[in-house]
Amino acid sequence: MVGNGKLGRWRFSLRSSAAPAKKSEKTKPLVEFICPISGLLMLEPVVVSSGQTFEKTSVDVCKDLKFVPILADGSRPDFSTVIPNLALKKAIHSWCMSTGADLPRDVDYSSIEVSVRRMMASSTQSEGDSRFRDSERNLLKGMAEKPPVILTHAATELNPRSIPHHHHFYSSSSEESVLANVPDTPPLPFVTRPSCYSSSPSASTSSEIVVDETPDPNSSTSDEQHFASKLQSPDIFEQEQCVISLRKVTRTDEELRVSLCTPRLLSALRQCLLSRYATVQTNAVAALVNLSLENANKLKIVRSGIVPPLIDVLKAGVSESQEHAAGALFSLALEEENKTAIGVLGALQPLLHALHSDSERTRNDSALALYHLSLKQSNRVKLVKLGAVSTLLTMLETGLAGRVLLVLCNLAASNEGKSSLLDSNAVECLFRKLRTENVNADESTRENCVACLYSLSHGSMRFKGLARAARGAEVLRVVEENGSERAREKAKRMLMMLRERDEVGESVDWDAILEGGVSQTLFRGSSTEF
């Protein structure tokens, strides 16, 4: 039954013109939807330790056959950890529904096995090694040619960008942090090297033992072979001497760090991270920190599958090992392409827990790691689900407040984080902290407090009620009079918003809003942008 005549004609025009065009344009799936091994649309996509995504059956076949394929980019995946990629699965399903394409079908194990065996037969181990080395050279070349990514380096790339005023809140990349999106953002006084790192031998920690003999730094190829073989020695004393020597030679020699960072040595170093001997484990993580200092090594280290054992050290290693593990995760998180993989592999919760460590180094490096990881939207969502907001708010009165505020600013830049912050009484907590900093005149912390509040105020009528309840206007007036230029500008805009008359057609019961009794949909049409 057609029903209304206009409806029938409208439905006819859609079918005759728009629908076929849409289907013809979108029938080809994105390359990310295709399994690199089976070549099929993925039904159960999973992320492996090295960060790539495959069809689960393909991973099962490769593991059963003890085969590690060489991918198109020349890299070898690490199948030791497999995590369901639910976001990609949902995206594939949505793409199929929107384009009319067939949904992925169950993958036949035997057909995948045939394909994998064919791959095994067509490649030898020596060819694989050659392709891997070529791939790494291309990767390093690409990284050298790639323009610097904003917010990848704490010391050099966290200064404010020159962005047109009307573009402040429209970034969807990892630069979406509040500190990047608002004008005249204060530079962050952080360095790119972890707290646990020191180039001075005199600053070495207790676990390092001085050894008399080290390999000749002029012969990097023999060094790599020497270290890789010694690290795999069954003799624990020999392992200890080797890992201490590796830590020593990578402390200051930048060129040696790059030449030693090979798949073979990283594999041997990964096993040392799992050692039950404290000296072996601690010096292995310290050597890894040294290797991670070079930009050319960061991506290779994560792809080697070293992050899961590194997380285990952070969770259960000796205190000194935990310091170095937090520093290594911070150093690796500086690389843009590592952020998502580190979050997927489960580093966020241990880093949150490490904020309560007895070690100041562990606390500081964990906070900086969380800051860089929270530049990615996917990690922000994970942090909110882990209850990070409450944990971070309780630390505003500690010596870690400056770094904690940076993470809160990043969370406030996402809808999930903003909602959780508003629900967790963050507005009152931040205004209370701001009152203290107005007295102490700590300009950096004050600017970060204002930046976080400013992000929460954007497009939120709920913020207005919470700010009034916290008597925020009087605090903002002090900032407007005595704060830095950046802080004054944001405070002035928030004060203007608080003074505006409500544009809703009826009076607003702010007490009801604070208690969650009024639907926020009432205010969507009257949100004010700044």
Side-chain angles (χ1 to χ4, degrees), residues 33-71:
F33 294 173
I34 302 298
C35 173
I37 294 176
S38 69
L40 302 174
L41 196 64
M42 287 184 280
L43 175 67
E44 295 293 339
V46 294
V47 177
V48 299
S49 299
S50 47
Q52 301 96 337
T53 298
F54 302 92
E55 174 64 50
K56 184 177 183 301
T57 304
S58 298
V59 176
D60 292 340
V61 171
C62 289
K63 292 175 71 173
D64 291 344
L65 297 177
K66 295 180 172 55
F67 173 66
V68 181
I70 302 173
L71 304 181

Side-chain angles (χ1 to χ4, degrees), residues 328-399:
L329 288 171
F330 159 45
S331 181
L332 294 172
L334 292 171
E335 168 57 45
E336 180 74 10
E337 295 185 46
N338 286 344
K339 291 178 171 61
T340 300
I342 294 174
V344 166
L345 292 170
L348 298 177
Q349 190 166 38
L351 286 169
L352 280 172
H353 186 266
L355 295 178
H356 300 284
S357 171
D358 294 334
S359 166
E360 182 180 1
R361 287 178 172 180
T362 302
R363 295 195 301 270
N364 288 338
D365 285 343
S366 296
L368 288 176
L370 286 170
Y371 166 71
H372 285 281
L373 293 174
S374 63
L375 292 170
K376 279 290 186 182
Q377 171 63 12
S378 59
N379 288 333
R380 294 173 191 162
V381 174
K382 290 184 178 70
L383 285 169
V384 170
K385 291 181 178 179
L386 290 171
V389 169
S390 298
T391 299
L392 296 169
L393 288 175
T394 60
M395 306 193 75
L396 286 179
E397 303 305 321
T398 68

Side-chain angles (χ1 to χ4, degrees), residues 221-411:
T221 302
S222 62
D223 283 355
E224 188 269 345
Q225 295 173 351
H226 167 83
F227 284 121
S229 61
K230 295 294 184 182
L231 289 175
Q232 296 172 318
S233 171
D235 185 335
I236 297 301
F237 179 76
E238 194 170 35
Q239 270 191 20
E240 286 182 353
Q241 296 299 304
C242 180
V243 76
I244 291 168
S245 178
L246 177 64
R247 176 182 180 180
K248 182 178 180 180
V249 299
T250 56
R251 180 182 287 123
T252 57
D253 195 326
E254 298 179 2
E255 293 184 2
L256 196 59
R257 290 175 195 155
V258 175
S259 63
L260 288 177
C261 192
T262 64
R264 180 183 175 186
L265 185 133
L266 290 174
S267 177
L269 198 59
R270 182 175 59 203
Q271 296 304 313
C272 291
L273 297 184
L274 304 174
S275 175
R276 296 183 180 180
Y277 293 88
T279 303
V280 174
Q281 183 187 83
T282 300
N283 284 282
V285 188
L288 181 65
V289 171
N290 294 345
L291 293 174
S292 72
L293 297 177
E294 301 306 316
N295 292 336
N297 292 345
K298 296 181 189 294
L299 193 60
K300 290 196 288 184
I301 291 173
V302 170
R303 286 183 173 180
S304 72
I306 216 164
V307 171
L310 195 59
I311 294 173
D312 289 339
V313 173
L314 181 62
K315 292 192 292 187
V318 297
S319 178
E320 192 176 339
S321 294
Q322 290 177 327
E323 288 183 359
H324 294 301
L329 288 171
F330 159 45
S331 181
L332 294 172
L334 292 171
E335 168 57 45
E336 180 74 10
E337 295 185 46
N338 286 344
K339 291 178 171 61
T340 300
I342 294 174
V344 166
L345 292 170
L348 298 177
Q349 190 166 38
L351 286 169
L352 280 172
H353 186 266
L355 295 178
H356 300 284
S357 171
D358 294 334
S359 166
E360 182 180 1
R361 287 178 172 180
T362 302
R363 295 195 301 270
N364 288 338
D365 285 343
S366 296
L368 288 176
L370 286 170
Y371 166 71
H372 285 281
L373 293 174
S374 63
L375 292 170
K376 279 290 186 182
Q377 171 63 12
S378 59
N379 288 333
R380 294 173 191 162
V381 174
K382 290 184 178 70
L383 285 169
V384 170
K385 291 181 178 179
L386 290 171
V389 169
S390 298
T391 299
L392 296 169
L393 288 175
T394 60
M395 306 193 75
L396 286 179
E397 303 305 321
T398 68
L400 209 59
R403 289 164 169 78
V404 165
L405 279 167
L406 297 175
V407 183
L408 289 174
C409 284
N410 285 345
L411 294 179

Side-chain angles (χ1 to χ4, degrees), residues 196 201 203-209 247 282 286 320 323-324 361:
C196 61
S204 301
T205 47
S206 58
S207 68
E208 183 176 3
I209 304 169
R247 176 182 180 180
T282 300
E320 192 176 339
E323 288 183 359
H324 294 301
R361 287 178 172 180

